[in-house]
Amino acid sequence: MVTEQAIEIVPPVPQQFAGKWIAWDWKRTRIIASGGTRQDVRRMALTTGEARPILDRVPDPKCNFLGGCRSSL
Amino acid sequence: MKFRYATYLCEPSAANPDGVIVRPKVLLNIVGPLGDLFDLALVDTGADHTTLPISIAEELGIPLITEHTTQSSGFSGEEIETVPGEVELAIVAPDSEVRWRTHVYFARFPDESKEGCILGHVGGLQFFSAHFDGERQELTLAPNSKLPTA
């Protein structure tokens, strides 16, 4: 028997947030805060009453991401 | 656990005529002695290590193993300081979560606005089997036998 796994449908992040940090509400239906740094946005999100904000950094379309970290060990 | 890729709208361009950036990201619960928080982490099979911003370690009171400080770099080769620390992590899906305890790197970003969370091999993807479906823009993760307990 194949069991279908639940998948969360999250709306696309509007262009106005490009390059910024954003905070979603727990259900990821609304962006409740945005700004320049992770810590500032988390603080702002918590003041809205959302106890579990979800933080994300929105890509800057003027600066492509080319891969993650490589340890020098 | 199945995740739809995160979707970001942008100005269409010659290189990106659809005006959409998609990234495989998962909801990561990061737990330390002082509390926990939730961030979206990029799932990056090319990253050697799971790496989080050092500001998260500071906020959650996670002790850092400074004598093992090292440097890490991205594609461009630009290096940043990374310090290991032990942390409890969970990947959270709508219907389930997978939790484990591991060592990750905490990165000291020169520019706070450029911080980010990466689920890389050590401390993260080594404990999962992953399937990336580019057509459906979905990532499926299943824990494997290497998953340590939280």
Side-chain angles (χ1 to χ4, degrees):
Chain A
M1 188 178 86
V2 176
T3 304
E4 191 66 30
Q5 297 177 73
I7 189 162
E8 196 171 22
I9 306 297
V10 178
V13 177
Q15 198 175 324
Q16 70 195 80
F17 297 109
K20 293 182 178 176
W21 275 92
I22 59 170
W24 292 96
D25 66 335
W26 178 245
K27 291 182 176 175
R28 288 176 73 188
T29 55
R30 282 188 312 124
I31 294 170
I32 55 175
S34 67
T37 69
R38 193 188 165 287
Q39 286 172 301
D40 286 347
V41 172
R42 180 166 155 76
R43 269 192 291 270
M44 281 189 272
L46 290 171
T47 64
T48 70
E50 174 56 70
R52 295 184 294 177
I54 297 171
L55 277 288
D56 187 22
R57 187 158 74 86
V58 181
D60 180 353
K62 297 188 184 73
C63 182
N64 299 315
F65 181 69
L66 292 177
C69 57
R70 184 180 67 212
S71 168
S72 61
L73 281 177
Chain B
M1 294 184 292
K2 197 177 269 194
F3 303 89
R4 182 68 47 85
Y5 289 4
T7 306
Y8 308 91
L9 303 181
C10 65
E11 197 69 42
S13 66
N16 187 355
D18 293 337
V20 178
I21 298 170
V22 294
R23 290 186 177 173
K25 289 188 174 184
V26 294
L27 177 54
L28 199 61
N29 180 215
I30 306 157
V31 184
L34 300 181
D36 72 325
L37 48 79
F38 295 86
D39 265 54
L40 294 184
L42 180 70
V43 179
D44 188 345
T45 59
D48 293 341
H49 288 267
T50 297
T51 305
L52 309 173
I54 210 160
S55 61
I56 288 181
E58 291 163 354
E59 183 174 347
L60 298 181
I62 296 167
L64 298 175
I65 308 168
T66 52
E67 61 268 32
H68 289 174
T69 298
T70 185
Q71 301 290 313
S72 295
S73 67
F75 181 78
S76 70
E78 186 186 354
E79 294 188 348
I80 60 172
E81 184 181 287
T82 43
V83 190
E86 190 179 359
V87 66
E88 181 183 320
L89 298 176
I91 294 176
V92 181
D95 55 350
S96 61
E97 67 171 35
V98 175
R99 192 168 291 276
W100 69 101
R101 191 158 190 89
T102 188
H103 285 84
V104 301
Y105 272 126
F106 291 94
R108 198 179 301 283
F109 288 80
D111 178 352
E112 243 185 292
S113 70
K114 307 287 190 221
E115 289 181 339
C117 298
I118 286 181
L119 190 72
H121 182 69
V122 176
L125 287 175
Q126 69 181 126
F127 306 130
F128 293 86
S129 296
H131 176 72
F132 295 83
D133 186 332
E135 184 177 5
R136 296 173 65 95
Q137 299 183 358
E138 290 177 1
L139 164 66
T140 305
L141 290 176
N144 62 33
S145 62
K146 292 191 170 198
L147 182 76
T149 54

